[in-house]
Amino acid sequence: MRISLRQLSVFLSVARHQSYTRAAEELNLTQPAVFTQVKQLEDSLGVALLDRIGKRMQPTDAGRVVVEGARETLDAVERMEMRLADMRGLREGRLTLAIVSTAQYFLPRLLGQFCDANPGIEVALTVTNRQAVLARLAASEDDLCILGTPPEGLDVVARAIADNPLVLIARPDHPLAAEVNIPPERVAREPFLLRERGSGTRLTVERFFRARGLTLPMRMELGSNEAIKQAVIGGLGLGALSRDTLALEGATGALKVLDVAGFPLLRQWQVAYPRGKHLSVVAEAFLDHLVAHARQAVEAGPAIARIAKEAAQE
């Protein structure tokens, strides 16, 4: 019986997503390549591991046994690699991160600083939505996860690293753009563009208005911050976003932050990992780097955007 760690890793991804396509996206492989890895694993083991039920790929009884064994095997390999990395210190090693998409507006600056100081470190970064980050956090798939709202119902260590204020935005020519101290009741009469269900931003905004007996009239549900910004610029309604996503649009005047009573909603960026997880030397060092420098990186966003705007105008 010849099976590889790669086959086990690919099969786990398919079993977790219940989809060859989603697994291919996560692993940055083609769908045929993913299918081939799973087929080779099935041939080696002599059993069928997946059943197609509707549009989903469900593990068979044998598949569930392999899922459990694959997790144990890959966890053991990871522990071995971490112990070896601990012995080597920061000269070399691997850092795996999962972040919500909004964090991509500041985290690359922190990663750049860290990798410049530690050139032997290999980084694997997954940028996805909140629900996927929570799933990865629950499964302990990464060294560290970064998200905007502390996870509920998970036994994790979560640490605040920087402010993450949430604001309401409109086109500069919107009737509310020139008003001050706008009552939430007035805002709630406007059509809204929000992130998908389960998004931390959406949960926070809906909780704010619900506490006041208000329901936002949803015009559109969008899966990315950039899509919301473009829809607001297009005049489709108001949006709610982390202020960190608006550095460029704020500098160019393409979007206006509304002066709404009760806003901005004050949240904080959180770095989290499962309680009891052994952090490698590399992960511990990056956690220290986040705590020391995340606030500066977040606050630098608007200044960097202004410099880029001025350079483009010269």
Side-chain angles (χ1 to χ4, degrees):
M1 183 173 62
R2 295 184 178 181
I3 60 177
S4 69
L5 295 177
R6 182 62 166 170
Q7 290 168 354
L8 294 177
S9 178
V10 170
F11 171 66
L12 274 183
S13 182
V14 175
R16 182 170 61 255
H17 292 295
Q18 299 182 357
S19 164
Y20 286 111
T21 301
R22 294 282 300 280
E25 292 172 354
E26 179 184 61
L27 300 170
N28 198 26
L29 296 172
T30 65
Q31 185 173 335
V34 171
F35 179 84
T36 298
Q37 291 284 334
V38 174
K39 184 65 169 62
Q40 289 175 348
L41 181 60
E42 289 180 323
D43 291 343
S44 295
L45 296 174
V47 291
L49 300 178
L50 295 167
D51 280 334
R52 180 177 293 279
I53 301 176
K55 294 183 178 180
R56 295 185 178 276
M57 303 303 302
Q58 300 275 13
T60 62
D61 290 342
R64 284 188 284 273
V65 171
V66 175
V67 165
E68 182 179 353
R71 284 177 177 161
E72 292 175 355
T73 300
L74 294 174
D75 284 347
V77 171
E78 182 181 6
R79 288 194 297 271
M80 177 190 70
E81 291 176 339
M82 288 169 60
R83 290 179 64 186
L84 292 173
D86 288 349
M87 294 170 65
R88 294 189 296 264
L90 286 180
R91 290 175 297 167
E92 57 184 281
R94 179 176 171 84
L95 176 67
T96 59
L97 304 171
I99 67 173
V100 294
S101 56
T102 307
Q104 67 185 308
Y105 294 94
F106 72 89
L107 189 74
R109 290 192 289 275
L110 289 163
L111 268 177
Q113 297 165 1
F114 184 75
C115 291
D116 284 346
N118 305 284
I121 303 302
E122 176 189 351
V123 178
L125 174 64
T126 299
V127 182
T128 184
N129 60 35
R130 174 180 167 82
Q131 292 298 95
V133 169
L134 290 178
R136 295 179 69 91
L137 180 58
S140 191
E141 293 185 39
D142 306 280
D143 292 317
L144 301 168
C145 295
I146 297 175
L147 63 170
T149 304
E152 298 178 359
L154 293 180
D155 188 16
V156 302
V157 177
R159 187 167 181 178
I161 54 174
D163 293 337
N164 178 26
L166 190 64
V167 297
L168 300 184
I169 57 173
R171 276 173 45 144
D173 59 354
H174 191 280
L176 294 179
E179 296 190 21
V180 297
N181 201 30
I182 307 166
E185 294 78 8
R186 172 66 185 88
V187 174
R189 296 202 299 268
E190 297 290 324
F192 259 79
L193 312 160
L194 293 175
R195 288 292 301 269
E196 71 282 357
R197 292 188 181 276
S199 155
T201 298
R202 179 166 174 170
L203 288 171
T204 303
V205 172
E206 290 183 333
R207 189 179 299 124
F208 172 86
F209 283 96
R210 193 183 306 117
R212 290 155 180 79
L214 302 170
T215 301
L216 296 179
M218 280 282 297
R219 169 165 283 176
M220 196 175 298
E221 181 179 288
L222 297 164
S224 74
N225 299 318
E226 294 305 314
I228 288 179
K229 288 190 283 188
Q230 292 305 314
V232 173
I233 291 171
L236 292 174
L238 305 183
L241 288 175
S242 167
R243 193 170 62 192
D244 297 336
T245 69
L246 302 172
L248 182 59
E249 290 77 12
T252 60
L255 289 170
K256 171 75 173 179
V257 174
L258 297 180
D259 184 0
V260 178
F263 280 80
L265 301 180
L266 299 180
R267 305 185 302 167
Q268 291 187 307
W269 285 111
Q270 306 279 334
V271 57
Y273 57 92
R275 191 176 303 278
K277 181 182 181 71
H278 171 72
L279 295 183
S280 67
V281 170
V282 174
E284 287 275 13
F286 187 67
L287 178 59
D288 291 342
H289 181 71
L290 284 175
V291 172
H293 302 292
R295 193 174 302 275
Q296 289 176 276
V298 169
E299 293 173 352
I304 292 172
R306 284 194 296 272
I307 293 171
K309 176 190 173 185
E310 293 168 0
Q313 293 174 341
E314 290 180 357

